[in-house]
Amino acid sequence: MKEVRDPLTGHMTTGHEWNGITELNTRVPRAIWLFILVTHVWALIIWILLPAWPVGTTYTKGVLGLDQRQQVNKEIAAAERAFAERDRQIRERSVPEIMTDVSLMNYVMDTASAIFGDNCAVCHGTAASGGPGYPSLIDTDWLWGGDTDQIMETLRVGINSQHPDTRHAQMPAFGRLGVLSGRDVRLLVPYVKSLSGSDIPAEVRAAGEDLFSRNCSSCHGADGMGRLQAGAPNLTDDVWLYGGGDNDIFYTIWDGRQGWMPAWQARLSDEDRKMLVIYLQELADGERP
Amino acid sequence: MISRLTSGERSIALMLASTGALIGVLMGAFGSGDPMGVHGWIVLAFCGALILVIGNNFYDPEPSEDRTLSYYDDPTKAGLIIALSWAVVGMGMGVWVACQLAWPDFRFENAWSSFGRIRPVHTTGIIFGFGGNALIATSFHIMQRTSRARIPDQVAPWFVLLGYNLFCLIAVSGYLMGVTQSKEYAEPEWYADIWLVVVWVSYFTLYVRTLARRNEPHIYVANWYYLAFILVMAVLHVVNNLALPASFSGAKSYSVFGGVQDAMTQWWYGHNAVAFFLTSGFLGMLYYFLPKRAERPIYSYRLSILSFWGITFFYIWVGSHHLHYTALPHWVQTLGMTFSIMLLVPSWASAGNALMTLNGAWNKVRDDAALRFMMIAAVFYGLSTFEGSFLAIRPVNGLSHYTDWTVGHVHAGAMGWVAFITFGSIYTLAPILWKRAGMYSAKAVEWHFWFALAGTVIYVFAMWNSGITQGLMWRTYNESGTLKYPFIDTVVAMRPYYIARAFGGLLFLSGACIGFWNVVMTIRRAPLKEPERDYPMNSEEPQVAAVAGK
């Protein structure tokens, strides 16, 4: 096939043809060469400025002397300097003192909300209101105590965690382990509900009371008010960590419960944990009418 | 199809299938109790079915056709249908994965349907299932036409096509059982990888054997691109998958690379899979079907050389831009970034060459949805290569990395470029292969086009918004100088975009289903028409007659 002129563009073909396809021999447009030049010059400049080419066992360092590892170390050091003073204040001042310092409290609330969101919200919810199996942190009901120190300790060691000082609590599986029969557990369910005020017949109450005092009162107390040292919940209020329906209570007694909270000592700094406690108190205060 | 094989070819085919079945039995026996055992039975079932098909027609009379008079298109036809099936499966999985991100309950509480398992089914289904089969099928067509020579034998193309699909089946069934190397786009375990090497070497050999028989003095540019795709993928695949199996009776293996070297090898592979699988291969498709459909000469032969060598040379260097601000040494990152920028011009030269080729054919672009598919493909190719170079700049990457922007970028390429050029090519190729006057329904092609375009635009815009929002939220500080948003806030912010993305994907899937239906109806119902001048050079006689008759 001969080279022919394409009538539309005025360019010549290359003289080759493949199953009807031909190619024009158009020159590469000037703009393309220009852009190639620009991008290559740019690359050249970058290579001169930054670490770029390997040379034996080392590499060209670049005239700017930049290195990402040094840069990031520098940035971290600068951030630590910037926060050192506020961290010191949080470490050294008591919680009530911090809570009366307006500018420090702004810092605490700003910072702790993100810490809470990234570490706690996955279980306790973004509003800290909990859910089935995960306690609400904005009510007044605290399994292990709601004082600042008690919450700090819970945060530090966790519950049933691998921390050596962990808080430990277990509701045994009374039914599954054969301590109580199904009939016993079914009797206990209405009795437990009656502790928080529902009416039940006298004979059910009598049978339930007997079972309760023999099996449950050592942890939950004869009056069902719970015991802080054992992490045993109060059964006379309306707060039900694992649900307050007949079935929920049945399975709680039958299969037992063993809640789990990680220890945060190794993961969050003392200051961060203190800020979280203050943050939670503020949240709870906001909830109160 | 079997009756078109000679008895010698039937024997070879039967032998290959029996060997495969034997390997399947061995894998099943030694790997029992392990996912490898299940894979053994899948191999056995696959090869057993082939043995049945071959055996059933084994004693058919010898074929009487003169092979010098025609091209061999049966594997191309099969490959096209298989590619479309994978498209529907892969895009369907994509919509499902997208729905899981918007509504997590879509997992339905199964292990096999968890996000981490079905997401690679989506990516493998699309890239290797849909894209790979489309590349293999179109390459069989193009290598014969541009060489004016018939493929050298009739068993090899079937071996390549079916062997490749066996690999894809092993891959996706493995993911559902939890088998993965945890290397993105290289998830399949060691025995699947070894099998792919066997298939790939035969593919390369077949291609070169066909080119060696060519009756044209020059090798057309589309073939260079296909060869770059096959050759470089072989190198990438072998190196990245170097691993020691934990045992020869189980699916678990350990990479020979460790730490940052492993990461660098993976992304050297990963980015060049994008380059040589999703770019070079499909540029081969574009360089054949676009001028064919537009009936215009390629705008510039010189530009196609420039972009071919530019892409081939520069792409190899840029993988490290996937590891900016990581443990990878700074200098490797600088190289990745600068080569990514130098890569831009050769990439745009290809897109420009394609669009300039359409000069004189824009009226066809307006009227013909198949050609419009290819035009939009070139536009998206230009867009996503620009975006890619832009995202490779370190500070930009600091914002975009690990966000949905990356996902949007990949899909601008995969939907807008890869799928569009493939559908445009399929609509051009199907009538030629089945000797039809055209597609069964031109209107359905239009519907497909608009569904696909709307789906792509919705998808990409949703991910741009989501990704940039996410990236900005991650780096927003409050007045106290600490991070403002916990991660969960960004998840909540992304949700509307996730819903939009699932909808965009659904539109795209609907278009693909219409396309599949249209191809099937074309095969069954469209009026017959002999294509012009569609035979090898050896058959000079009919060609002369055809030209004289014009």
Side-chain angles (χ1 to χ4, degrees):
Chain A
M1 193 177 159
K2 282 216 312 287
E3 295 168 28
V4 294
R5 193 170 291 282
D6 173 42
L8 190 88
T9 60
H11 293 297
M12 298 298 287
T13 64
T14 55
H16 306 143
E17 187 255 313
W18 298 270
N19 202 30
I21 297 175
T22 55
E23 295 172 314
L24 298 176
N25 208 5
T26 317
R27 295 167 69 100
V28 176
R30 284 247 176 77
I32 298 270
W33 292 118
L34 180 72
F35 284 128
I36 287 179
L37 187 73
V38 168
T39 51
H40 282 58
V41 167
W42 180 81
L44 201 65
I45 295 171
I46 296 287
W47 292 341
I48 293 169
L49 295 178
L50 297 177
W53 282 92
V55 187
T57 55
T58 179
Y59 55 90
T60 59
K61 301 285 193 292
V63 296
L64 290 185
L66 289 178
D67 176 82
Q68 63 163 5
R69 205 164 301 239
Q70 286 165 10
Q71 270 174 297
V72 86
N73 287 339
K74 228 186 279 175
E75 281 168 24
I76 289 172
E80 276 170 356
R81 271 197 308 281
F83 290 108
E85 174 54 21
R86 276 181 292 202
D87 278 353
R88 191 184 61 77
Q89 294 205 20
I90 287 166
R91 199 164 48 243
E92 290 173 2
R93 296 169 72 180
S94 71
V95 170
E97 271 174 358
I98 296 171
M99 290 182 85
T100 51
D101 181 330
V102 175
S103 78
L104 195 54
M105 264 314 273
N106 283 339
Y107 169 71
V108 169
M109 292 306 285
D110 272 357
T111 308
S113 76
I115 299 176
F116 183 87
D118 283 340
N119 295 282
C120 319
V122 63
C123 292
H124 295 285
T126 46
S129 52
Y134 303 103
S136 164
L137 306 176
I138 50 177
D139 59 13
T140 50
D141 190 56
W142 290 88
L143 278 172
W144 296 92
D147 291 353
T148 313
D149 290 343
Q150 289 167 319
I151 301 175
M152 280 287 278
E153 181 65 4
T154 306
L155 269 173
R156 186 178 76 85
V157 301
I159 299 163
N160 294 325
S161 75
Q162 286 164 343
H163 195 286
D165 305 332
T166 181
R167 296 191 186 281
H168 182 79
Q170 186 178 22
M171 162 92 183
F174 285 95
R176 193 157 44 79
L177 297 178
V179 180
L180 295 175
S181 67
R183 188 174 164 277
D184 292 341
V185 178
R186 278 197 303 279
L187 273 171
L188 266 171
V189 171
Y191 177 76
V192 168
K193 287 181 80 174
S194 77
L195 292 174
S196 48
S198 64
D199 285 333
I200 50 169
E203 68 273 15
V204 178
R205 177 183 299 278
E209 196 164 15
D210 178 48
L211 281 165
F212 191 87
S213 67
R214 281 193 283 121
N215 295 288
C216 317
S217 59
S218 59
C219 291
H220 292 283
D223 50 2
M225 292 286 280
R227 200 152 63 87
L228 275 187
Q229 295 85 339
N234 182 351
L235 303 177
T236 65
D237 58 15
D238 282 338
V239 182
W240 294 97
L241 184 50
Y242 298 101
D246 287 351
N247 264 338
D248 300 323
I249 297 175
F250 179 89
Y251 280 110
T252 297
I253 303 172
W254 184 267
D255 283 330
R257 299 287 183 186
Q258 189 171 20
W260 181 77
M261 162 149 154
W264 294 95
Q265 187 172 25
R267 174 132 182 208
L268 296 176
S269 68
D270 293 350
E271 295 83 3
D272 285 353
R273 277 181 276 123
K274 196 163 177 182
M275 284 194 282
L276 274 176
V277 173
I278 298 169
Y279 174 76
L280 286 178
Q281 284 196 353
E282 284 282 303
L283 276 193
D285 284 349
E287 286 294 305
R288 248 164 246 142
Chain B
M1 284 180 192
I2 301 299
S3 53
R4 290 189 69 186
L5 303 181
T6 62
S7 58
E9 286 168 337
R10 285 173 212 168
S11 306
I12 295 172
L14 196 62
M15 230 162 56
L16 287 169
S18 311
T19 314
L22 186 68
I23 293 171
V25 171
L26 289 176
M27 283 171 68
F30 284 105
S32 102
D34 187 90
M36 185 183 172
V38 180
H39 276 153
W41 305 127
I42 291 177
V43 173
L44 178 65
F46 189 90
C47 295
L50 286 179
I51 291 173
L52 280 183
V53 173
I54 302 165
N56 236 355
N57 301 284
F58 196 77
Y59 294 109
D60 281 6
E62 288 282 324
S64 57
E65 62 172 335
D66 180 354
R67 287 189 177 179
T68 58
L69 291 181
S70 66
Y71 297 123
Y72 186 45
D73 285 336
D74 288 353
T76 315
K77 291 178 182 173
L80 216 62
I81 299 295
I82 296 172
L84 283 167
S85 316
W86 276 109
V88 172
V89 172
M91 289 171 198
M93 294 306 270
V95 174
W96 187 9
V97 171
C99 287
Q100 283 197 0
L101 285 169
W103 302 282
D105 288 340
F106 265 83
R107 182 168 80 86
F108 306 120
E109 300 291 320
N110 302 304
W112 66 265
S113 60
S114 57
F115 180 85
R117 295 196 187 180
I118 63 170
R119 189 248 178 199
V121 175
H122 161 60
T123 53
T124 298
I126 290 300
I127 300 173
F128 297 108
F130 171 52
N133 277 296
L135 285 173
I136 291 174
T138 53
S139 73
F140 287 165
H141 178 83
I142 293 171
M143 66 168 89
Q144 297 185 83
R145 265 61 178 192
T146 57
S147 299
R148 286 227 162 262
R150 188 183 164 103
I151 220 160
D153 76 78
Q154 298 203 149
V155 178
W158 284 112
F159 177 79
V160 171
L161 182 73
L162 296 173
Y164 180 76
N165 279 286
L166 179 59
F167 163 79
C168 293
L169 272 181
I170 298 279
V172 297
S173 57
Y175 307 152
L176 297 178
M177 294 187 285
V179 175
T180 174
Q181 293 193 123
S182 301
K183 288 188 163 209
E184 205 172 8
Y185 315 127
E187 291 93 348
E189 271 291 355
W190 60 276
Y191 46 83
D193 292 336
I194 293 175
W195 173 241
L196 186 61
V197 174
V198 175
V199 170
W200 216 247
V201 169
S202 6
Y203 185 23
F204 180 72
T205 319
L206 179 64
Y207 210 120
V208 174
R209 281 163 70 206
T210 309
L211 287 183
R213 291 159 60 106
R214 75 181 186 279
N215 294 305
E216 293 285 356
H218 291 259
I219 297 174
Y220 182 56
V221 56
N223 294 302
W224 312 349
Y225 279 106
Y226 276 108
L227 278 173
F229 144 63
I230 300 168
L231 194 65
V232 183
M233 278 313 291
V235 176
L236 297 167
H237 173 74
V238 168
V239 175
N240 190 42
N241 286 302
L242 287 175
L244 285 178
S247 92
F248 287 106
S249 57
K252 177 77 191 136
S253 71
Y254 292 94
S255 174
V256 299
F257 306 104
V260 74
Q261 284 85 357
D262 191 34
M264 185 62 249
T265 310
Q266 156 61 20
W267 284 110
W268 168 76
Y269 163 88
H271 198 83
N272 285 304
V274 176
F276 290 92
F277 206 101
L278 296 178
T279 305
S280 288
F282 290 90
L283 279 172
M285 216 184 259
L286 176 133
Y287 267 107
Y288 183 83
F289 288 108
L290 182 110
K292 199 79 191 148
R293 188 77 181 189
E295 295 175 308
R296 287 287 304 154
I298 290 289
Y299 168 70
S300 169
Y301 162 69
R302 299 171 188 222
L303 211 49
S304 58
I305 296 186
L306 178 111
S307 49
F308 175 80
W309 288 109
I311 288 171
T312 305
F313 176 71
F314 286 123
Y315 252 121
I316 284 285
W317 293 77
V318 304
S320 58
H321 71 221
H322 287 255
L323 297 165
H324 281 333
Y325 301 103
T326 65
L328 192 74
H330 199 153
W331 62 268
V332 194
Q333 300 175 28
T334 307
L335 284 184
M337 170 176 77
T338 46
F339 275 89
S340 303
I341 298 295
M342 291 190 283
L343 173 61
L344 176 60
V345 184
S347 298
W348 269 31
S350 288
N353 210 3
L355 291 174
M356 296 294 275
T357 299
L358 291 173
N359 276 348
W362 288 100
N363 58 323
K364 288 183 189 158
V365 176
R366 186 190 60 211
D367 299 335
D368 175 9
L371 189 58
R372 211 180 312 128
F373 262 108
M374 296 192 246
M375 185 275 284
I376 293 289
V379 170
F380 268 98
Y381 176 67
L383 278 178
S384 40
T385 49
F386 173 76
E387 193 183 27
S389 297
F390 182 60
L391 293 178
I393 300 171
R394 273 177 102 239
V396 180
N397 199 256
L399 174 69
S400 74
H401 204 181
Y402 312 114
T403 72
D404 287 328
W405 195 349
T406 307
V407 183
H409 168 58
V410 168
H411 282 83
M415 296 162 109
W417 156 237
V418 170
F420 266 72
I421 191 65
T422 305
F423 286 127
S425 302
I426 287 176
Y427 286 135
T428 308
L429 181 54
I432 297 173
L433 280 181
W434 280 278
K435 304 190 193 312
R436 305 286 156 170
M439 289 301 294
Y440 172 72
S441 163
K443 220 175 211 163
V445 182
E446 282 288 346
W447 276 100
H448 180 187
F449 174 83
W450 289 109
F451 267 113
L453 187 60
T456 307
V457 169
I458 291 172
Y459 189 112
V460 173
F461 270 85
M463 289 297 96
W464 277 340
N465 277 300
S466 164
I468 294 171
T469 306
Q470 200 180 7
L472 289 174
M473 284 177 86
W474 286 346
R475 54 164 62 174
T476 301
Y477 291 92
N478 52 41
E479 284 170 13
S480 303
T482 51
L483 288 172
K484 183 168 162 73
Y485 297 106
F487 185 77
I488 187 69
D489 284 7
T490 69
V491 178
V492 173
M494 285 172 332
R495 184 143 194 259
Y497 303 118
Y498 281 1
I499 294 170
R501 179 249 298 269
F503 177 66
L506 186 66
L507 287 183
F508 203 86
L509 169 68
S510 314
C513 293
I514 294 172
F516 197 177
W517 167 83
N518 203 2
V519 169
V520 171
M521 292 309 283
T522 303
I523 297 167
R524 293 172 56 183
R525 297 270 175 82
L528 281 168
K529 187 187 164 214
E530 220 26 72
E532 283 175 42
R533 204 180 170 229
D534 199 34
Y535 26 76
M537 194 74 99
N538 318 29
S539 42
E540 277 303 332
E541 290 307 313
Q543 186 188 336
V544 171
V547 171
K550 254 172 120 176

